[in-house]
Amino acid sequence: FTRSLSITTPEQMIEKAKGETAYLPCKFTLSPEDQGPLDIEWLISPADNQKVDQVIILYSGDKIYDDYYPDLKGRVHFTSNDLKSGDASINVTNLQLSDIGTYQCKVKKAPGVANKKIQLVVLVKPSGTRCYVDGSEEIGSDFKLKCEPKEGSLPLQYEWQKLSDSQKMPTSWLAEMMLSVISVKNASSEYSGTYSCTVRNRVGSDQCLLRLNVVPPSNKAGLIAGAIIGTLLALVLIGLIIFCCHKKRREEKYEKEVHHDIREDVPPPKSRTSTARSYIGSNHSSLGSMSPSNMEGYSKTQYNQVPSEDFERTPQSPTLPPAKVAAPNLSRMGAIPVMIPAQSKDGSIV
């Protein structure tokens, strides 16, 4: 019987959580006939089966090469410093879901050759679990207690526990204690308390707490009536505001119309300027029919004799005595000399 190179580690499946480190064992023994150089090679067959086997780390000629596979670069290492001692195991750090696949360990030392496969499964621990009540926490009502993890690889297991009071779950809930949702029917105040929900899978667990407080039903009729009354009052207030604004606008519009209204039955006021001018013009006309002998009497006539009902006087400075008009000036003004008969004291013509 001739013994040859062999790998003593059995084929197996390893499950690890995302972010952890996976130890992939590969231990071998050599025979005296194996005299060639030692070569160790690890390959991966991705889980999607769309890629061919790829080398992830290699030992050859007493050197290690670990930059073949970009997705695992810097995250795969040999566990032993002396690979010739028979230990070709590796560690894969900071596991990701993309690391899922079948890993193969190949050991060569001519003429001996051997290989073993290890299946690596990366799972996600339950995390971010949230407990809450779906429904109204009132006596006699129906609601649900829910337990939902944010992430976690299936299959997931749930377990509900009561942490306060008698620490005993209601009998009607026992059938659902291992489910993510507990349906509560006809709730009573005895259900009040603190509950915990634990979520587990093969790589980890997570927990959340829930405070349940079952209270008497609220006066819904009063709330509805209050809401209706409040709505009506608001509508009335809005209506009053609109009415006041509309009334104010109508008053402003009426005032503008009255202010600019022109009554047709009222004659326009007399022109004071034209009245004064006509009065002065008549006096000028009289000048033309007067003789120089009458100018002295005419000169005594003052311009302030314009009728008061047609001309409103404004405060004036003291009136100066009218200047006498010379006869030559009267001629230039177009005056015509007129002879007036003289009269005696008894009225007879002289």
Side-chain angles (χ1 to χ4, degrees):
F1 178 74
T2 301
R3 187 180 65 176
S4 61
L5 186 152
S6 64
I7 295 177
T8 58
T9 302
E11 293 186 354
Q12 56 186 297
M13 182 181 70
I14 297 175
E15 290 183 346
K16 285 291 181 178
K18 178 183 176 182
E20 295 183 346
T21 297
Y23 169 70
L24 307 183
C26 182
K27 295 184 178 182
F28 61 92
T29 59
L30 300 174
S31 68
E33 288 80 12
D34 299 328
Q35 298 297 324
L38 178 62
D39 293 333
I40 300 174
E41 186 179 56
W42 276 91
L43 302 94
I44 182 175
S45 300
D48 55 13
N49 295 322
Q50 295 180 358
K51 298 179 181 179
V52 298
D53 294 352
Q54 297 189 49
V55 177
I56 59 175
I57 192 169
L58 174 67
Y59 172 81
S60 179
D62 295 331
K63 292 184 178 181
I64 298 174
Y65 305 92
D66 59 359
D67 57 353
Y68 289 98
Y69 192 57
D71 291 349
L72 285 172
K73 186 176 181 180
R75 295 194 294 119
V76 59
H77 313 279
F78 284 108
T79 59
S80 175
N81 294 327
D82 185 10
L83 299 178
K84 295 179 181 180
S85 64
D87 187 1
S89 304
I90 60 172
N91 281 333
V92 180
T93 61
N94 190 22
L95 289 172
Q96 304 297 318
L97 295 179
S98 59
D99 298 338
I100 297 174
T102 301
Y103 293 75
Q104 183 176 184
C105 175
K106 287 185 178 182
V107 180
K108 300 178 183 178
K109 189 172 177 65
V113 177
N115 66 80
K116 287 290 182 178
K117 292 182 179 181
I118 298 175
Q119 186 176 358
L120 176 62
V121 178
V122 180
L123 301 176
V124 179
K125 292 181 181 180
S127 64
T129 305
R130 173 173 170 254
C131 296
Y132 64 98
V133 179
D134 184 7
S136 176
E137 302 177 43
E138 296 181 350
I139 295 176
S141 62
D142 299 340
F143 53 83
K144 295 180 180 181
L145 306 183
K146 293 189 175 183
C147 180
E148 297 179 352
K150 186 176 181 180
E151 61 179 2
S153 298
L154 301 176
L156 296 173
Q157 298 178 350
Y158 299 86
E159 182 181 0
W160 287 90
Q161 290 182 338
K162 189 175 183 180
L163 305 179
S164 60
D165 300 333
S166 62
Q167 297 186 352
K168 291 183 179 180
M169 297 287 287
T171 305
S172 58
W173 298 7
L174 296 178
E176 298 178 329
M177 287 180 57
M178 307 303 293
L179 301 177
S180 62
V181 179
I182 295 179
S183 298
V184 180
K185 304 292 184 181
N186 192 22
S188 67
S189 59
E190 298 177 356
Y191 295 170
S192 298
T194 302
Y195 296 83
S196 70
C197 174
T198 304
V199 187
R200 294 186 178 89
N201 63 8
R202 294 195 296 267
V203 294
S205 64
D206 193 27
Q207 187 182 69
C208 64
L209 298 178
L210 170 66
R211 176 62 187 175
L212 179 62
N213 187 22
V214 182
V215 297
S218 58
N219 187 4
K220 296 183 179 179
L223 293 176
I224 295 174
I228 293 175
I229 293 174
T231 303
L232 292 177
L233 290 176
L235 292 175
V236 171
L237 180 61
I238 294 173
L240 288 175
I241 294 174
I242 295 175
F243 175 77
C244 293
C245 294
H246 181 67
K247 183 178 180 182
K248 185 176 180 180
R249 288 181 180 177
R250 290 185 61 185
E251 291 177 353
E252 292 177 353
K253 183 178 180 182
Y254 177 76
E255 290 177 359
K256 290 181 179 179
E257 290 178 352
V258 171
H259 181 72
H260 295 288
D261 186 22
I262 299 176
R263 296 180 57 183
E264 297 180 355
D265 57 343
V266 178
K270 295 181 179 181
S271 175
R272 296 166 185 158
T273 304
S274 60
T275 302
R277 288 179 178 175
S278 62
Y279 179 77
I280 296 171
S282 62
N283 287 339
H284 277 291
S285 300
S286 299
L287 290 175
S289 60
M290 295 180 66
S291 63
S293 61
N294 293 332
M295 290 303 299
E296 182 178 357
Y298 176 79
S299 62
K300 295 181 180 180
T301 303
Q302 299 179 359
Y303 287 98
N304 57 4
Q305 294 177 354
V306 179
S308 59
E309 66 272 12
D310 294 332
F311 184 82
E312 292 181 5
R313 302 177 185 175
T314 56
Q316 298 179 355
S317 57
T319 305
L320 299 176
K324 294 182 179 182
V325 181
N329 291 335
L330 289 176
S331 299
R332 285 195 294 269
M333 293 172 61
I336 301 173
V338 178
M339 296 297 292
I340 299 175
Q343 293 180 353
S344 62
K345 292 182 181 180
D346 55 0
S348 59
I349 299 174
V350 178

